Amino acid sequence: MTSKLIALVTGANKGIGLAIARELARRGALVLVGARDPGRGEAAAAQIRAEGGDARALALDVTRADTIAAAAAWIRAELGRLDVLVNNAGIAKVGAPSATALADVRAVFETNVFGVIAVTQAMLPLLREAPAGRIVNVSSRLGSLTAISDPAFPNRGIGGVAYGPSKSALNAVTVAFAQELAGTPIKVNAACPGYTATDLTNHKGPRSVAEGAREPVRLALLGPDGPTGTFSDDDGPIPW
Ligand code: NAP
């Protein structure tokens, strides 16, 4: 069994997830590159290995129970524990609240909320085997009810009835797991990467993926005195 930190990042084949995986590998972790497409996952893992990091692709579609169970079984059999879980995989649908199809709302919740609950539940027994398990949920300021009801927040209209509410629910899920796991070494926190140029934003947004990865990586590597049940970006706490 490896003595390296073992970190699973979902949706790590591109965007902020890949940047999180690269940075965790650069800092010495064995990174499991979660990807729903095995070819894209293997390409990302190969890129990290080419940079000198330790990475393995892991087939994982967060909306498919069979792939979640297989991924957990593989980690159990090959590694025996998981130190870090970064729930990064996410999708967005934009549109006016009155014109967003319910099917789109359901699809976004399936990935951004139910997928996180399912993956977290499946990985928790492995995180309990680690000396200091860490769960990071990649959320968004668009999930902050305080932010989106502030007329001074320039992006407050973007979240709609699918993406923004899915991240509000993800924040609630973060608090729920943190409360259940209080009294264990496992810490559960939510991070906002900031407005980052990726496929999800049609490459709009001032931040690079490396900048977007900063807060998720910090929370993934929190020491024993670090917080649990929080929501933050790299400027500090974000109001719920
Ligand atoms: P991205 O470039 O579109 O990457 C999203 C990743 O999630 C891809 O690897 C994608 O895989 C994966 N994914 C989607 N559905 C999946 C599923 N069912 N199972 C497994 N993986 C799945 O987007 P991003 O901007 O890096 O977003 C990463 C996270 O940051 C998301 O949770 C997003 O909500 C959050 N976020 C982003 C911003 C921003 O400004 N970019 C701001 C706040 C929060 P495929 O390649 O197979 O599609």
Side-chain angles (χ1 to χ4, degrees):
M1 196 187 290
T2 181
S3 60
K4 287 185 174 186
L5 200 83
I6 303 167
L8 167 61
V9 183
T10 68
N13 55 284
K14 69 177 183 182
I16 295 164
L18 175 56
I20 293 168
R22 290 174 71 186
E23 181 60 16
L24 290 173
R26 199 184 66 78
R27 299 206 198 183
L30 163 59
V31 177
L32 306 177
V33 176
R36 58 180 161 178
D37 180 280
R40 290 199 287 267
E42 187 44 54
Q47 182 186 339
I48 293 170
R49 287 195 297 271
E51 293 165 358
D54 199 354
R56 294 200 53 149
L58 194 57
L60 179 54
D61 183 327
V62 304
T63 66
R64 285 187 44 196
D66 57 339
T67 71
I68 296 171
W74 184 89
I75 297 171
R76 167 73 61 194
E78 299 295 324
L79 300 167
R81 71 170 203 281
L82 183 65
D83 297 288
V84 171
L85 168 62
V86 182
N87 287 306
N88 165 80
I91 60 170
K93 302 275 183 193
V94 292
S98 59
T100 303
L102 202 50
D104 285 346
V105 181
R106 288 203 171 99
V108 170
F109 270 71
E110 201 61 57
T111 300
N112 296 8
V113 185
F114 309 144
V116 172
I117 296 171
V119 172
T120 302
Q121 288 175 342
M123 299 301 162
L124 253 183
L126 291 157
L127 287 155
R128 289 184 191 275
E129 303 281 353
R134 300 286 179 262
I135 300 171
V136 181
N137 294 331
V138 180
S139 185
S140 168
R141 188 175 286 269
L142 295 173
S144 162
L145 300 185
T146 307
I148 63 167
S149 52
D150 179 356
F153 178 44
N155 297 328
R156 69 189 182 285
I158 295 177
V161 287
Y163 183 76
S166 78
K167 295 300 188 179
S168 305
L170 178 61
N171 288 349
V173 166
T174 304
V175 172
F177 275 112
Q179 284 179 354
E180 182 183 355
L181 294 167
T184 79
I186 302 174
K187 298 180 187 300
V188 191
N189 292 290
C192 174
Y195 194 19
T196 303
T198 65
D199 287 350
L200 185 134
T201 57
N202 291 321
H203 295 272
K204 297 197 183 92
R207 287 168 75 82
S208 68
V209 290
E211 290 169 322
R214 212 180 273 156
E215 186 65 0
V217 167
R218 187 185 74 80
L219 292 171
L221 301 177
L222 278 179
D225 296 334
T228 189
T230 67
F231 179 33
S232 56
D233 64 13
D234 54 15
D235 282 334
I238 300 176
W240 299 108

PDB file of all heavy atoms in Angstrom, residues 141-166:
ATOM      1  N   ARG A 141     -20.126  30.484  -6.114  1.00  0.00           N
ATOM      2  CA  ARG A 141     -20.750  31.641  -5.463  1.00  0.00           C
ATOM      3  C   ARG A 141     -22.193  31.816  -5.947  1.00  0.00           C
ATOM      4  O   ARG A 141     -23.029  32.370  -5.240  1.00  0.00           O
ATOM      5  CB  ARG A 141     -19.919  32.901  -5.775  1.00  0.00           C
ATOM      6  CG  ARG A 141     -20.332  34.148  -5.006  1.00  0.00           C
ATOM      7  CD  ARG A 141     -19.387  35.298  -5.296  1.00  0.00           C
ATOM      8  NE  ARG A 141     -18.106  35.147  -4.645  1.00  0.00           N
ATOM      9  CZ  ARG A 141     -17.802  35.623  -3.435  1.00  0.00           C
ATOM     10  NH1 ARG A 141     -18.696  36.324  -2.763  1.00  0.00           N
ATOM     11  NH2 ARG A 141     -16.608  35.431  -2.917  1.00  0.00           N
ATOM     12  N   LEU A 142     -22.494  31.291  -7.148  1.00  0.00           N
ATOM     13  CA  LEU A 142     -23.874  31.373  -7.658  1.00  0.00           C
ATOM     14  C   LEU A 142     -24.831  30.535  -6.817  1.00  0.00           C
ATOM     15  O   LEU A 142     -26.043  30.653  -6.948  1.00  0.00           O
ATOM     16  CB  LEU A 142     -23.935  30.933  -9.123  1.00  0.00           C
ATOM     17  CG  LEU A 142     -23.180  31.838 -10.094  1.00  0.00           C
ATOM     18  CD1 LEU A 142     -23.143  31.226 -11.480  1.00  0.00           C
ATOM     19  CD2 LEU A 142     -23.817  33.227 -10.137  1.00  0.00           C
ATOM     20  N   GLY A 143     -24.302  29.696  -5.935  1.00  0.00           N
ATOM     21  CA  GLY A 143     -25.125  28.939  -4.994  1.00  0.00           C
ATOM     22  C   GLY A 143     -25.338  29.657  -3.673  1.00  0.00           C
ATOM     23  O   GLY A 143     -26.069  29.151  -2.819  1.00  0.00           O
ATOM     24  N   SER A 144     -24.704  30.804  -3.513  1.00  0.00           N
ATOM     25  CA  SER A 144     -24.858  31.580  -2.278  1.00  0.00           C
ATOM     26  C   SER A 144     -26.116  32.434  -2.362  1.00  0.00           C
ATOM     27  O   SER A 144     -26.193  33.360  -3.185  1.00  0.00           O
ATOM     28  CB  SER A 144     -23.635  32.474  -2.059  1.00  0.00           C
ATOM     29  OG  SER A 144     -23.943  33.500  -1.125  1.00  0.00           O
ATOM     30  N   LEU A 145     -27.095  32.160  -1.508  1.00  0.00           N
ATOM     31  CA  LEU A 145     -28.333  32.961  -1.529  1.00  0.00           C
ATOM     32  C   LEU A 145     -28.041  34.392  -1.134  1.00  0.00           C
ATOM     33  O   LEU A 145     -28.691  35.331  -1.629  1.00  0.00           O
ATOM     34  CB  LEU A 145     -29.369  32.337  -0.591  1.00  0.00           C
ATOM     35  CG  LEU A 145     -29.784  30.901  -0.907  1.00  0.00           C
ATOM     36  CD1 LEU A 145     -30.909  30.450   0.028  1.00  0.00           C
ATOM     37  CD2 LEU A 145     -30.230  30.753  -2.361  1.00  0.00           C
ATOM     38  N   THR A 146     -27.041  34.579  -0.262  1.00  0.00           N
ATOM     39  CA  THR A 146     -26.667  35.937   0.127  1.00  0.00           C
ATOM     40  C   THR A 146     -26.111  36.693  -1.081  1.00  0.00           C
ATOM     41  O   THR A 146     -26.491  37.841  -1.338  1.00  0.00           O
ATOM     42  CB  THR A 146     -25.609  35.892   1.252  1.00  0.00           C
ATOM     43  OG1 THR A 146     -26.103  35.075   2.305  1.00  0.00           O
ATOM     44  CG2 THR A 146     -25.312  37.286   1.780  1.00  0.00           C
ATOM     45  N   ALA A 147     -25.243  36.039  -1.843  1.00  0.00           N
ATOM     46  CA  ALA A 147     -24.638  36.710  -3.004  1.00  0.00           C
ATOM     47  C   ALA A 147     -25.679  37.023  -4.077  1.00  0.00           C
ATOM     48  O   ALA A 147     -25.729  38.142  -4.589  1.00  0.00           O
ATOM     49  CB  ALA A 147     -23.520  35.828  -3.581  1.00  0.00           C
ATOM     50  N   ILE A 148     -26.517  36.021  -4.400  1.00  0.00           N
ATOM     51  CA  ILE A 148     -27.418  36.251  -5.549  1.00  0.00           C
ATOM     52  C   ILE A 148     -28.565  37.195  -5.210  1.00  0.00           C
ATOM     53  O   ILE A 148     -29.246  37.691  -6.110  1.00  0.00           O
ATOM     54  CB  ILE A 148     -27.970  34.926  -6.140  1.00  0.00           C
ATOM     55  CG1 ILE A 148     -28.828  34.167  -5.131  1.00  0.00           C
ATOM     56  CG2 ILE A 148     -26.845  34.068  -6.692  1.00  0.00           C
ATOM     57  CD1 ILE A 148     -29.626  33.041  -5.762  1.00  0.00           C
ATOM     58  N   SER A 149     -28.792  37.460  -3.921  1.00  0.00           N
ATOM     59  CA  SER A 149     -29.821  38.445  -3.576  1.00  0.00           C
ATOM     60  C   SER A 149     -29.217  39.824  -3.316  1.00  0.00           C
ATOM     61  O   SER A 149     -29.940  40.748  -2.947  1.00  0.00           O
ATOM     62  CB  SER A 149     -30.642  37.967  -2.374  1.00  0.00           C
ATOM     63  OG  SER A 149     -29.799  37.615  -1.304  1.00  0.00           O
ATOM     64  N   ASP A 150     -27.919  39.944  -3.574  1.00  0.00           N
ATOM     65  CA  ASP A 150     -27.237  41.236  -3.404  1.00  0.00           C
ATOM     66  C   ASP A 150     -27.198  41.951  -4.758  1.00  0.00           C
ATOM     67  O   ASP A 150     -26.539  41.485  -5.690  1.00  0.00           O
ATOM     68  CB  ASP A 150     -25.818  40.974  -2.891  1.00  0.00           C
ATOM     69  CG  ASP A 150     -25.022  42.260  -2.717  1.00  0.00           C
ATOM     70  OD1 ASP A 150     -25.536  43.352  -3.065  1.00  0.00           O
ATOM     71  OD2 ASP A 150     -23.867  42.165  -2.250  1.00  0.00           O
ATOM     72  N   PRO A 151     -27.895  43.077  -4.880  1.00  0.00           N
ATOM     73  CA  PRO A 151     -27.910  43.800  -6.169  1.00  0.00           C
ATOM     74  C   PRO A 151     -26.513  44.197  -6.639  1.00  0.00           C
ATOM     75  O   PRO A 151     -26.311  44.436  -7.836  1.00  0.00           O
ATOM     76  CB  PRO A 151     -28.754  45.045  -5.874  1.00  0.00           C
ATOM     77  CG  PRO A 151     -29.495  44.742  -4.616  1.00  0.00           C
ATOM     78  CD  PRO A 151     -28.693  43.748  -3.847  1.00  0.00           C
ATOM     79  N   ALA A 152     -25.567  44.238  -5.740  1.00  0.00           N
ATOM     80  CA  ALA A 152     -24.214  44.639  -6.125  1.00  0.00           C
ATOM     81  C   ALA A 152     -23.406  43.478  -6.718  1.00  0.00           C
ATOM     82  O   ALA A 152     -22.309  43.692  -7.230  1.00  0.00           O
ATOM     83  CB  ALA A 152     -23.473  45.197  -4.899  1.00  0.00           C
ATOM     84  N   PHE A 153     -23.943  42.245  -6.659  1.00  0.00           N
ATOM     85  CA  PHE A 153     -23.202  41.090  -7.200  1.00  0.00           C
ATOM     86  C   PHE A 153     -23.465  41.020  -8.711  1.00  0.00           C
ATOM     87  O   PHE A 153     -24.591  40.742  -9.141  1.00  0.00           O
ATOM     88  CB  PHE A 153     -23.653  39.808  -6.495  1.00  0.00           C
ATOM     89  CG  PHE A 153     -22.996  38.547  -7.017  1.00  0.00           C
ATOM     90  CD1 PHE A 153     -21.632  38.487  -7.280  1.00  0.00           C
ATOM     91  CD2 PHE A 153     -23.746  37.395  -7.225  1.00  0.00           C
ATOM     92  CE1 PHE A 153     -21.035  37.324  -7.748  1.00  0.00           C
ATOM     93  CE2 PHE A 153     -23.165  36.228  -7.689  1.00  0.00           C
ATOM     94  CZ  PHE A 153     -21.799  36.195  -7.955  1.00  0.00           C
ATOM     95  N   PRO A 154     -22.451  41.266  -9.518  1.00  0.00           N
ATOM     96  CA  PRO A 154     -22.679  41.428 -10.960  1.00  0.00           C
ATOM     97  C   PRO A 154     -23.202  40.169 -11.655  1.00  0.00           C
ATOM     98  O   PRO A 154     -23.912  40.274 -12.662  1.00  0.00           O
ATOM     99  CB  PRO A 154     -21.302  41.830 -11.499  1.00  0.00           C
ATOM    100  CG  PRO A 154     -20.313  41.444 -10.440  1.00  0.00           C
ATOM    101  CD  PRO A 154     -21.039  41.471  -9.136  1.00  0.00           C
ATOM    102  N   ASN A 155     -22.866  38.996 -11.151  1.00  0.00           N
ATOM    103  CA  ASN A 155     -23.258  37.747 -11.833  1.00  0.00           C
ATOM    104  C   ASN A 155     -24.525  37.132 -11.269  1.00  0.00           C
ATOM    105  O   ASN A 155     -24.819  35.963 -11.531  1.00  0.00           O
ATOM    106  CB  ASN A 155     -22.116  36.728 -11.729  1.00  0.00           C
ATOM    107  CG  ASN A 155     -20.866  37.207 -12.433  1.00  0.00           C
ATOM    108  OD1 ASN A 155     -20.945  37.924 -13.431  1.00  0.00           O
ATOM    109  ND2 ASN A 155     -19.706  36.852 -11.910  1.00  0.00           N
ATOM    110  N   ARG A 156     -25.305  37.925 -10.515  1.00  0.00           N
ATOM    111  CA  ARG A 156     -26.380  37.295  -9.740  1.00  0.00           C
ATOM    112  C   ARG A 156     -27.458  36.664 -10.615  1.00  0.00           C
ATOM    113  O   ARG A 156     -28.144  35.752 -10.171  1.00  0.00           O
ATOM    114  CB  ARG A 156     -27.007  38.291  -8.762  1.00  0.00           C
ATOM    115  CG  ARG A 156     -27.810  39.395  -9.403  1.00  0.00           C
ATOM    116  CD  ARG A 156     -28.198  40.426  -8.353  1.00  0.00           C
ATOM    117  NE  ARG A 156     -29.025  41.491  -8.918  1.00  0.00           N
ATOM    118  CZ  ARG A 156     -28.558  42.461  -9.691  1.00  0.00           C
ATOM    119  NH1 ARG A 156     -27.263  42.502 -10.003  1.00  0.00           N
ATOM    120  NH2 ARG A 156     -29.370  43.380 -10.173  1.00  0.00           N
ATOM    121  N   GLY A 157     -27.590  37.079 -11.868  1.00  0.00           N
ATOM    122  CA  GLY A 157     -28.650  36.535 -12.717  1.00  0.00           C
ATOM    123  C   GLY A 157     -28.267  35.287 -13.480  1.00  0.00           C
ATOM    124  O   GLY A 157     -29.107  34.662 -14.145  1.00  0.00           O
ATOM    125  N   ILE A 158     -27.027  34.872 -13.386  1.00  0.00           N
ATOM    126  CA  ILE A 158     -26.532  33.803 -14.267  1.00  0.00           C
ATOM    127  C   ILE A 158     -27.001  32.409 -13.828  1.00  0.00           C
ATOM    128  O   ILE A 158     -27.194  31.517 -14.648  1.00  0.00           O
ATOM    129  CB  ILE A 158     -24.977  33.830 -14.306  1.00  0.00           C
ATOM    130  CG1 ILE A 158     -24.479  35.115 -14.955  1.00  0.00           C
ATOM    131  CG2 ILE A 158     -24.419  32.625 -15.055  1.00  0.00           C
ATOM    132  CD1 ILE A 158     -22.958  35.244 -14.961  1.00  0.00           C
ATOM    133  N   GLY A 159     -27.206  32.230 -12.541  1.00  0.00           N
ATOM    134  CA  GLY A 159     -27.412  30.876 -12.002  1.00  0.00           C
ATOM    135  C   GLY A 159     -28.719  30.212 -12.378  1.00  0.00           C
ATOM    136  O   GLY A 159     -28.810  28.981 -12.402  1.00  0.00           O
ATOM    137  N   GLY A 160     -29.750  31.012 -12.678  1.00  0.00           N
ATOM    138  CA  GLY A 160     -31.024  30.460 -13.138  1.00  0.00           C
ATOM    139  C   GLY A 160     -31.687  29.534 -12.130  1.00  0.00           C
ATOM    140  O   GLY A 160     -31.504  29.667 -10.915  1.00  0.00           O
ATOM    141  N   VAL A 161     -32.483  28.584 -12.646  1.00  0.00           N
ATOM    142  CA  VAL A 161     -33.178  27.635 -11.755  1.00  0.00           C
ATOM    143  C   VAL A 161     -32.539  26.244 -11.768  1.00  0.00           C
ATOM    144  O   VAL A 161     -33.047  25.329 -11.131  1.00  0.00           O
ATOM    145  CB  VAL A 161     -34.680  27.483 -12.104  1.00  0.00           C
ATOM    146  CG1 VAL A 161     -35.459  28.709 -11.689  1.00  0.00           C
ATOM    147  CG2 VAL A 161     -34.881  27.144 -13.570  1.00  0.00           C
ATOM    148  N   ALA A 162     -31.451  26.104 -12.509  1.00  0.00           N
ATOM    149  CA  ALA A 162     -30.790  24.791 -12.548  1.00  0.00           C
ATOM    150  C   ALA A 162     -29.425  24.862 -11.846  1.00  0.00           C
ATOM    151  O   ALA A 162     -29.238  24.318 -10.773  1.00  0.00           O
ATOM    152  CB  ALA A 162     -30.636  24.329 -13.990  1.00  0.00           C
ATOM    153  N   TYR A 163     -28.497  25.578 -12.461  1.00  0.00           N
ATOM    154  CA  TYR A 163     -27.116  25.557 -11.955  1.00  0.00           C
ATOM    155  C   TYR A 163     -26.996  26.179 -10.556  1.00  0.00           C
ATOM    156  O   TYR A 163     -26.452  25.554  -9.635  1.00  0.00           O
ATOM    157  CB  TYR A 163     -26.200  26.292 -12.932  1.00  0.00           C
ATOM    158  CG  TYR A 163     -24.747  26.259 -12.542  1.00  0.00           C
ATOM    159  CD1 TYR A 163     -23.984  25.101 -12.726  1.00  0.00           C
ATOM    160  CD2 TYR A 163     -24.126  27.376 -11.981  1.00  0.00           C
ATOM    161  CE1 TYR A 163     -22.648  25.065 -12.365  1.00  0.00           C
ATOM    162  CE2 TYR A 163     -22.786  27.349 -11.620  1.00  0.00           C
ATOM    163  CZ  TYR A 163     -22.053  26.191 -11.818  1.00  0.00           C
ATOM    164  OH  TYR A 163     -20.732  26.157 -11.451  1.00  0.00           O
ATOM    165  N   GLY A 164     -27.498  27.398 -10.394  1.00  0.00           N
ATOM    166  CA  GLY A 164     -27.369  28.078  -9.092  1.00  0.00           C
ATOM    167  C   GLY A 164     -28.008  27.260  -7.973  1.00  0.00           C
ATOM    168  O   GLY A 164     -27.346  26.959  -6.961  1.00  0.00           O
ATOM    169  N   PRO A 165     -29.290  26.875  -8.139  1.00  0.00           N
ATOM    170  CA  PRO A 165     -29.903  26.056  -7.086  1.00  0.00           C
ATOM    171  C   PRO A 165     -29.184  24.730  -6.839  1.00  0.00           C
ATOM    172  O   PRO A 165     -29.162  24.238  -5.713  1.00  0.00           O
ATOM    173  CB  PRO A 165     -31.328  25.818  -7.622  1.00  0.00           C
ATOM    174  CG  PRO A 165     -31.594  27.036  -8.455  1.00  0.00           C
ATOM    175  CD  PRO A 165     -30.277  27.355  -9.110  1.00  0.00           C
ATOM    176  N   SER A 166     -28.578  24.158  -7.877  1.00  0.00           N
ATOM    177  CA  SER A 166     -27.838  22.900  -7.643  1.00  0.00           C
ATOM    178  C   SER A 166     -26.647  23.148  -6.717  1.00  0.00           C
ATOM    179  O   SER A 166     -26.305  22.299  -5.890  1.00  0.00           O
ATOM    180  CB  SER A 166     -27.364  22.273  -8.966  1.00  0.00           C
ATOM    181  OG  SER A 166     -26.210  22.923  -9.477  1.00  0.00           O
TER     182      SER A 166
END
